[in-house]
Amino acid sequence: MITNFFVLSPRGDTVIAKSYRSKSGVGAHERSHTEAFFRKVKFWDGVAPGTPGMDTTLGLGSGGNKLSADSLSGGSGAEGSEAKDSKKFGDAPPVFVMPDGYSYMHVKRNGLIFGCATEKNISPVVVIELLSKIAKVFKDYCGTLSEESIRFWGC
């Protein structure tokens, strides 16, 4: 069951947000959920927090324990130390768990982030497909998929 649905702008502003029933009753304000989610997606560091008892590193970076060609050849040039210091990670995965206990799922379309949070385990594929269909409906209804058009048409 989806507990929170939201659409975020590229700056992290909430365009649309809707909270549904949650078993925890009165919880944190929906703004804190969306802000924490946006910070994690925007500044993804390759670590999915809140997974107890599991290795939460996803191995998306080029730094860390990976050996570089320079270290294998025995050289100690400046290039090898720069490669170790500059960690480049990819985009956040479409599904991850945060310390608040929610599983967050999202898709990016035209710079907008369509996302949701769930308390229970549900099929991520179904939720990702649902979010993709919602983005397509917004595009069909508003004509173009942008923050301004969604606000203008009152989607």
Side-chain angles (χ1 to χ4, degrees), residues 5 7 31 38 41 44 48 56 58 64 72 80 82 85 90 92-93 95 118 125 134 138 140 147 153-154:
F5 168 77
V7 178
R31 184 177 180 123
F38 181 75
V41 168
W44 180 252
T56 57
L58 297 177
L72 289 175
E82 281 181 27
D85 292 341
V95 180
T118 64
V125 174
I134 290 172
F138 281 155
D140 291 344
E147 177 183 0
W153 287 103

Side-chain angles (χ1 to χ4, degrees), residues 138-139 141-144 146-155:
F138 281 155
K139 182 183 181 301
Y141 183 77
C142 298
T144 181
S146 68
E147 177 183 0
E148 295 81 23
S149 65
I150 290 176
R151 290 187 193 273
F152 177 77
W153 287 103
C155 295

